[in-house]
Amino acid sequence: DGRVSSVAVQQLIEQISHVNKAKMIDHVGGVEEGVYEIYNCVEKIIKQDILGCEMTDLEGKDLGNKEDSTAPEEEVFGDVLWDAHDEQEQMEAFQQASNSTCELGFEKYFERLNDLVAAPAPIPPLLVSGGPGSGKSLLLSKWIQLQQKHSPNTLILYHFVGRPMSTSSESALIIKRLTLKLMQHSWLVSPLTFDPAKLLEEFPRWLEKLSARHQGSIIIIIDSIDQIQQAEKHMKWLIDPLPVNVRVIVSVNVETCPQAWRLWPTLHLDPLNSKDVKSLISAECNSGNVKLTKEQEKKLERHCRSATTCNALYVTLLGKIIACVGNTGNIDEILQQCCQCQDTVSLYRLVLRSIQESLQSDKEKGLLREILCVIGVSHNGVSESELIELYPELTSAVLASLLHSLHKMCLLTYGCGLLKFQHLQAWEMVKLEYMEADENVISAYRQKLVEYFTMQLSQDRVTWRSADELPWLFQQQGDKQKLHQCLLNLFVSQNLYKRGHFAELLSYWQLVGKDKSSMAAEYFDSLKEYEKSSEGEESMICLADLYETLGRFLKDLGLLSQAVAPLQRSLEIRETALDPDHPRVAQSLHQLAGVYVQWKKFGNAEQLYKQALEISENAYGSEHPRVARELDALATLYQKQNKYEQAEQLRKKSFKIRQKAARQKGSLCGFALLRQRALQLEELTLGKDTPDNARTLNELGVLYYLQNNLETAELFLKRSLEMRERVLGSEHPDCAQSLNNLAALYNEKKHYDKAEELYEKALDIRRRALAPDHPSLAYTVKHLAVLYKKMGKLDKAVPLYELAVEIRQKSFGPKHPSVATALVNLAVLYCQMKKQMEALPLYERALKIYEDSFGHMHPRVGETLKNLAVLSYERGDFEKAAELYKRAMEIKEAETLLIGGKATSRHSSSGDTFSLKSALSPNAFLEHGQR
């Protein structure tokens, strides 16, 4: 009625009104209306305050288009299906692993890991071994953070394997995710097989191909690799020699490490020493304001000396128990109980019993048991809302209290909104305590989940949760008949397939004893049956989606003749139910064309791709990523028919569209918290002149530059330069950084004269202050040289390009591919100056380095041969030119066969290195400086 309902609410409102980051929604009216207002407010906060973009930007045709929102993964990866949920799970696993603030004497291990990265190739994977809970995940996550900070050019791909049998432990999904991450960083859009066996078989070739495109090292880290299902069989690629710039680190438990891997170089985590034990326990006790006596500290130190009591997890848990009980109970008594626990599982049992004792009723104790058991028997965890639906007597207040205790004591954690066990030992304890490892008890809890998710299916609620849990639960129960029925629910299979869980879907069909052909026939029959009951536009659109999913699935299985019929039916339905010019029709045409390409029926495919291109251009405009996708598909088709010139024209057009879209996407999402960070930094710069404040001003300039706010960026970069000159003197290297950044900004604004002057000043300072091979000096040399070339001052550019060769030789040695790139750049410059005789030896030397480093069939070898062919042609040596050009074309064709399409090379024929990834990186234009 417009009145405040209680004193507590009044106090809350008064508190909130003093907090500037709180948002208060003042609403009087119906509940649904209130919920709608809250939703709108939260959406606005996310878009404006967090993503830092204007609402008008997000309401435009492209971003608001429903077609885009249904399949965003196809914009980035062609037809590759990408599960954002799996990716989010990995990001959360990494954050969780690196949460501890204690380093546990990791410095000595960091040095060993750094040595591996620096060691000359070829080198086998490094094995990080230790007992359960010894801190392997923590070590790897902390080291990843250090590498990301100090080696920005190193590409780090990580995967943290969770519980055995969970989605994160499925080998085909892991390999697919690593391949897609590599493709993403190479800006490569190519067809990728979904057949699990082929995916695992082809991964080494992808790794070789894509690593050759990356300038810098690639580090692949797989934590708990021994928890992967059939790890030794599915990770065979680890035994093969790795590409030159690739390093692999895997962690294993000592007891479960496959025998063949034990021969690899090993970094074994030692038990914690007494100093680390004391540090960990002190950190936990301090967080709970608990002070131990000297006698109690000594007692703990004596206890934590055996192999099972001095690992990181055991000691952390011990500290949490003391901190938790310390303020309310007798510390000596709890110490006595802890000392009777000789391993982590028994210590977890003590934790569970202390939580049980804190509960007020048997009912709550029973609910605690139910929650832990039902989470334990699930595939990937259970959400809070699912628990409340499973147990109607469980109130939100009781659940919140239980989860707080279980989370605080390292029993449970959250992953993508699902509750799961934080460590394997916690789940082992629950099995022993509540289930006594009794299969009948486990089966009863599984049955409870089966009934819950089956009820959801009967209500036409096929969520990703039902699709993830139900088939897996039937598989665990050994109920093939119900599994078969579940798979024939078209929406369950569609959900799994669209999220890329191809291998999982296939394994279920193999379990029910069906081969690929009979599976295809059963799906088609089910669809025909479903079609009989489909009425109305919405129902028909849904039916078309199901037919398309089936067609794509069959295509991925290599059943091309069977894939045509469902894709053709999908096309017919969309043309009738929607409109012949609707974007969804273009989608059907694209998929059908893809089948004809694999079938080598190129004429049919070309006609369909052209129709899809025309519809996409009319629907989205000529510069939309969907148009780029059709152009890429046509280019690949022409390349397969040896129509290289037509293919190249389409690829260039597509590349420009993708480049522009990527910049727009970067400004909207890629730099998500820039606006917020800029505001925080502005508050810090209101004080006096200091080197730190000058550095903050420099960072602000960079942040505003990334938001394309060049005027504000210029203001802050100038302030940074002026403050540095006052505080540090005009010859200090930090001043060179500010000059360099301002020069980059003027270059972007096409004020080339101003940019030239500032680059020259920065180069002068850096030449005097820094070592001849310093990266900052190389940076300025490169950018000033490119600027001279752009301005037509070729004579001024020559000495800088020569200096770039010198710097790279000093940094990497005379035979490094980076030196070859610098030689090519210099040779191109000489060619522009009509000095072909000076260019020839540079090209020849670059060719030799590329061949020695990458082999005779590498794309960079091909590019250099092409440049040499042009040079020979211009000198009148037509026979040699033809021979060189033929070799270049052979390499290009071999590349096409390996990848199935050519991505834009990082090295254009003009010689200057360009990568879209670097174009989006903050470091490509401006330097942040060390923070």
Side-chain angles (χ1 to χ4, degrees), residues 349-502:
R349 184 181 276 124
L350 181 63
V351 167
L352 181 64
R353 286 178 183 166
S354 70
I355 293 172
Q356 286 171 332
E357 285 165 19
S358 71
L359 299 176
Q360 294 171 352
S361 66
D362 288 342
K363 181 185 170 184
E364 286 183 6
K365 288 175 185 173
L367 286 169
L368 172 66
R369 172 192 176 122
E370 295 296 303
I371 288 168
L372 291 172
C373 290
V374 87
I375 289 170
V377 300
S378 67
H379 187 197
N380 289 315
V382 179
S383 73
E384 289 182 34
S385 58
E386 286 166 352
L387 285 172
I388 287 174
E389 287 181 351
L390 278 160
Y391 301 101
E393 69 275 26
L394 178 63
T395 64
S396 295
V398 169
L399 179 62
S401 174
L402 287 173
L403 294 183
H404 174 71
S405 302
L406 293 167
H407 189 263
K408 189 168 112 182
M409 299 308 291
C410 298
L411 266 156
L412 294 183
T413 186
Y414 288 90
C416 289
L418 300 179
L419 288 156
K420 46 189 78 178
F421 286 101
Q422 197 156 330
H423 297 282
L424 271 174
Q425 293 91 323
W427 168 225
E428 284 168 24
M429 178 276 296
V430 167
K431 276 196 288 190
L432 291 169
E433 186 72 4
Y434 285 140
M435 300 178 169
E436 298 165 349
D438 184 342
E439 264 310 312
N440 292 330
V441 178
I442 292 171
S443 183
Y445 279 109
R446 282 196 188 126
Q447 189 56 36
K448 189 168 183 70
L449 283 176
V450 164
E451 287 166 10
Y452 171 74
F453 287 114
T454 303
M455 186 182 71
Q456 286 197 349
L457 285 190
S458 66
Q459 295 167 355
D460 285 336
R461 279 174 62 192
V462 181
T463 62
W464 65 274
R465 291 289 297 130
S466 312
D468 264 5
E469 294 290 333
L470 204 49
W472 184 85
L473 287 163
F474 286 136
Q475 182 193 42
Q476 296 305 303
Q477 296 281 61
D479 194 334
K480 291 185 183 180
Q481 188 182 350
K482 284 190 178 167
L483 174 59
H484 191 195
Q485 285 172 357
C486 181
L487 292 173
L488 286 174
N489 181 315
L490 300 165
F491 295 98
V492 170
S493 297
Q494 183 187 47
N495 195 299
L496 284 169
Y497 174 76
K498 280 204 160 185
R499 286 169 40 238
H501 291 225
F502 184 95

Side-chain angles (χ1 to χ4, degrees), residues 112-181:
R112 180 75 194 278
L113 290 167
N114 292 339
D115 290 345
L116 169 90
V117 175
I123 187 165
L126 177 73
L127 211 59
V128 176
S129 75
S134 56
K136 302 182 291 292
S137 304
L138 177 62
L139 168 69
L140 291 175
S141 57
K142 292 284 184 189
W143 185 71
I144 288 169
Q145 287 176 327
L146 285 173
Q147 284 292 313
Q148 287 171 336
K149 184 179 175 184
H150 298 303
S151 307
N153 289 334
T154 299
L155 172 59
I156 300 176
L157 306 177
Y158 59 78
H159 189 91
F160 287 81
V161 178
R163 207 176 76 185
M165 308 292 287
S166 68
T167 302
S168 66
S169 68
E170 287 176 16
S171 53
L173 276 178
I174 294 168
I175 294 299
K176 190 193 81 173
R177 181 177 168 270
L178 293 176
T179 308
L180 290 178
K181 296 293 276 183

Side-chain angles (χ1 to χ4, degrees), residues 853-902:
S853 302
F854 300 125
H856 289 262
M857 296 301 287
H858 193 274
R860 292 191 202 171
V861 173
E863 285 287 350
T864 313
L865 285 166
K866 201 160 129 191
N867 287 338
L868 273 168
V870 172
L871 199 61
S872 299
Y873 185 85
E874 286 172 355
R875 291 173 61 221
D877 192 343
F878 303 129
E879 197 175 320
K880 189 174 182 184
E883 183 194 330
L884 291 166
Y885 192 74
K886 187 186 173 195
R887 269 190 67 197
M889 285 300 100
E890 283 168 3
I891 293 169
K892 197 169 187 179
E893 283 171 30
E895 183 186 8
T896 307
L897 288 171
L898 183 61
I899 289 245
K902 174 180 173 285

Side-chain angles (χ1 to χ4, degrees), residues 67 71 73-75 77-80 189-191 548 551-552 555 563 567-568 570-571 574-575 582-598 604-616 620 625-637 658:
E67 175 68 8
E73 73 283 347
E74 291 179 2
E75 278 185 27
F77 295 118
D79 292 330
V80 172
V189 182
S190 288
E548 185 188 279
R552 292 176 69 171
K555 183 185 94 172
L567 288 173
Q568 189 70 49
S570 169
L571 174 62
R574 283 174 177 168
E575 283 179 332
H582 194 279
R584 291 280 184 98
V585 173
Q587 169 76 5
S588 286
L589 292 163
H590 179 94
Q591 295 301 337
L592 195 53
V595 175
Y596 285 127
V597 169
Q598 277 185 270
N604 300 38
E606 183 177 357
Q607 186 186 352
L608 294 170
Y609 276 141
K610 282 179 174 175
Q611 278 179 264
L613 176 62
E614 188 182 342
I615 294 170
S616 298
Y620 298 114
R626 289 296 173 98
V627 172
R629 184 178 76 150
E630 303 307 338
L631 290 169
D632 275 329
L634 262 174
T636 304
L637 178 66
R658 289 187 187 282

Side-chain angles (χ1 to χ4, degrees), residues 763 767 781-782 784-785 788 793-807 826 829-830 833 835:
L763 180 61
R767 262 183 157 156
V781 165
K782 175 187 164 188
L784 182 55
Y788 280 149
K793 298 184 177 183
L794 303 185
D795 290 330
K796 275 189 158 186
V798 168
L800 291 180
Y801 274 110
E802 287 172 342
L803 182 56
V805 174
E806 277 178 47
I807 291 171
L826 180 55
L829 186 67
Y830 278 137
M833 298 169 76
K835 294 184 176 181

Side-chain angles (χ1 to χ4, degrees), residues 27-80:
H27 168 70
V28 178
V31 175
E32 284 190 15
E33 191 186 318
V35 169
Y36 182 70
E37 275 200 35
I38 293 166
Y39 177 89
N40 283 345
C41 182
V42 172
E43 184 182 42
K44 192 174 175 186
I45 291 166
I46 289 168
K47 287 177 177 176
Q48 287 189 317
D49 297 1
I50 298 176
L51 291 180
C53 37
E54 300 302 324
M55 293 299 282
T56 49
D57 291 343
L58 286 162
E59 287 164 4
K61 177 185 170 187
D62 291 349
L63 288 161
N65 187 296
K66 190 183 174 189
E67 175 68 8
D68 274 0
S69 64
T70 55
E73 73 283 347
E74 291 179 2
E75 278 185 27
V76 185
F77 295 118
D79 292 330
V80 172

